[in-house]
Amino acid sequence: MEVIIAKDYETLSRQAATIIAAQVIGQPDSVLGLATGSTPVGTYKHLVALYREGIIDFSRVKTFNLDEYYGVAPDNPCSYRWFMEENLFKHINILPENTYIPNGLAQDTAAECREYEEKIHRAGGIDLQLLGIGGNGHIGFNEPGNSFQPATHLVDLDQQTIEANSRFFASPDQVPRQALSMGIKSIMAARRIILLANGKAKARAVYEMIRGPITPELPASVLQLHPQAAVIIDQEAAALL
Ligand code: PGA
């Protein structure tokens, strides 16, 4: 696992955007795995700027997002579909039909999860997966537990995740209790992974991910086994290393 310590959030975001841009320039039909949350917002801003400067073309790119809240409609401003439209998709020339996010309104969640995996497979697999990390060490919504969940699945969100994400909702009661999330195998199958973390609230999880044992109690620790994983963190997130 390569560890890159950036001076600050701005530098971290620029570095991540540069890696994604290089991927898309080198392979214009790249399949990108994307993440939501506060962490990648700066990266998406830089990608939009690179697109506006004519440096990257998304017309042949496909994207698969890690997760979506269960029971939340795509036109709900709290949905991850909405987040992606606002922060990236509507600002670039990606084709709407090439942007995939699990359907939070699926009646048959098992079928939705299975089909999501099939869509990733049919697209040729993920070339570059972008990740954040939860304060509890989750990646996607793979919460700490007794085993690594392999494929896309319906998850019960951890109390810590509900509290952390309540800042995006009017009150903690309104945070969905479940989500559809790519699994650990889905993430590990990506050819290349970059995980971003900033701020001191992530320092403990970052330390455990890099220096701790590989355990489903800290799901991000599995990335130690990935042959092409880079972690880009700011100095606060690196404080315990
Ligand atoms: P954050 O979330 O970027 O909003 O901190 C990251 C995560 O929970 O994976």
Side-chain angles (χ1 to χ4, degrees), residues 10-215:
E10 172 62 19
T11 313
L12 168 160
S13 301
R14 196 162 1 93
Q15 285 187 337
T18 304
I19 293 170
I20 296 168
Q23 170 68 40
V24 172
I25 292 166
Q27 187 187 333
D29 62 350
S30 287
V31 179
L32 303 178
L34 298 180
T36 51
S38 307
T39 312
V41 169
T43 303
Y44 294 149
K45 281 204 174 86
H46 280 284
L47 283 176
V48 170
L50 290 169
Y51 165 71
R52 288 191 176 138
E53 287 163 26
I55 293 169
I56 19 178
D57 170 16
F58 288 92
S59 62
R60 293 173 60 202
V61 168
K62 290 194 172 86
T63 62
F64 285 88
N65 264 79
L66 284 164
D67 41 27
E68 178 60 282
Y69 288 118
Y70 182 56
V72 174
D75 61 354
N76 179 329
C78 293
S79 73
Y80 285 162
R81 166 59 73 180
W82 184 280
F83 175 99
M84 289 309 302
E85 295 294 337
E86 289 300 307
N87 285 285
L88 184 64
F89 298 155
K90 78 177 190 191
H91 305 291
I92 61 175
N93 67 334
I94 195 158
L95 300 177
E97 61 270 31
N98 284 345
T99 66
Y100 298 88
I101 300 181
N103 175 11
L105 294 183
Q107 298 286 327
D108 183 345
T109 54
E112 172 65 16
C113 292
R114 212 169 38 244
E115 282 160 23
Y116 202 66
E117 290 287 330
E118 282 164 15
K119 284 175 193 160
I120 297 173
H121 182 70
R122 277 201 298 277
I126 292 171
D127 294 301
L128 177 61
Q129 175 69 56
L130 181 65
L131 295 175
I133 182 171
N136 64 358
H138 74 199
I139 45 176
F141 274 135
N142 291 277
E143 302 287 30
N146 299 327
S147 62
F148 289 120
Q149 292 297 315
T152 303
H153 60 295
L154 181 67
V155 206
D156 291 330
L157 298 179
D158 216 54
Q159 192 54 35
Q160 194 177 334
T161 300
I162 292 168
E163 279 159 27
N165 290 7
S166 64
R167 68 192 195 279
F168 298 112
F169 293 81
S171 74
D173 299 348
Q174 293 183 18
V175 184
R177 272 26 189 185
Q178 289 184 304
L180 299 174
S181 175
M182 276 166 56
I184 293 295
K185 185 174 158 204
S186 337
I187 293 170
M188 289 293 278
R191 293 176 189 97
R192 195 166 163 215
I193 294 177
I194 47 177
L195 181 144
L196 312 180
N198 67 291
K200 53 181 186 301
K202 301 292 173 67
R204 171 56 54 190
V206 163
Y207 173 83
E208 295 292 338
M209 164 178 67
I210 295 170
R211 300 258 189 269
I214 298 166
T215 165

